[in-house]
Amino acid sequence: MQFDVLFFVSDDTVTLFGDPLVRVNSPVWSMGWELWFSLTLPLAVALLARVRREVPAALLIFAGIFLSYWSGYFPLRLCLTFWLGVLLAKHLGELSRVRLTAPIELLVLVLLLSVIELVQAASAGMLGALGSLLAAALPTLMVAACMGVVTLAMTDGLVRRALSARPVRSLGAVSFSLYLTHAVTIGALEALLPRLGVVEPLVQAALAVALSLAVAVVFWHVVEKPGIALSRRVGDALGTRASQPSGE
């Protein structure tokens, strides 16, 4: 069902035909929605690379994200975050040379994280009942704050250096493999550990974390890394063929 376009036309509760929406597991989401979103990236790059007035373009994207929250159609906002990433990528070189003083950078980081936590608190009902417009505006603001955190991490400062530390980079390298395999690993442990007499929740959690990381590392070396290398070889080969004169 994850690859069924009609299955995706839903309100996240029922399908287009009124049947209950049942997902196999969360990582399969990437093989469905992210596949479709990635197909829009060439369009995003083609359009946004030509945009000179980027502030109105960003505001238009955020308007779409707001509309998504207000209407309840989640794919629109998730797709548009890819477009925000394209806008940021255009300025990677410039942002990487920006350097804030440590106090200013930490202040900005705290403010951005506070906005994110405020919206999370609101979504949990801690701020009381919200009108539909405010309920859509707050998570839209959270997306902007998340974009701010990413932007801050692109600058030459404390956040970037912290995220560039070797242990963090190692976790980042296997993060997608971990995302794809953790549900299967944890599910297997849930079935196996009680039969082995391991029922203590903290022990189960510790084993789940350790084994999930181990499986992710293996998956990275056996599947993801070779897959990336293969895609680059195919891309290079196609690029070479496309650059050759037609007579050759």
Side-chain angles (χ1 to χ4, degrees), residues 110-120 138 141-142 144-145:
V110 169
L111 289 175
L112 292 171
L113 294 178
S114 297
V115 170
I116 295 171
E117 290 304 311
L118 175 65
V119 177
Q120 294 287 61
L138 283 177
L141 179 62
M142 182 178 69

Side-chain angles (χ1 to χ4, degrees), residues 32-49 61 75-87:
W33 279 117
E34 286 188 6
L35 171 64
W36 292 108
F37 296 159
S38 67
L39 295 178
T40 72
L41 281 180
L43 176 62
V45 172
L47 291 178
L48 296 178
I61 293 174
L76 178 60
R77 62 178 175 267
L78 298 176
C79 182
L80 289 177
T81 57
F82 280 66
W83 290 58
L84 290 176
V86 173
L87 276 180

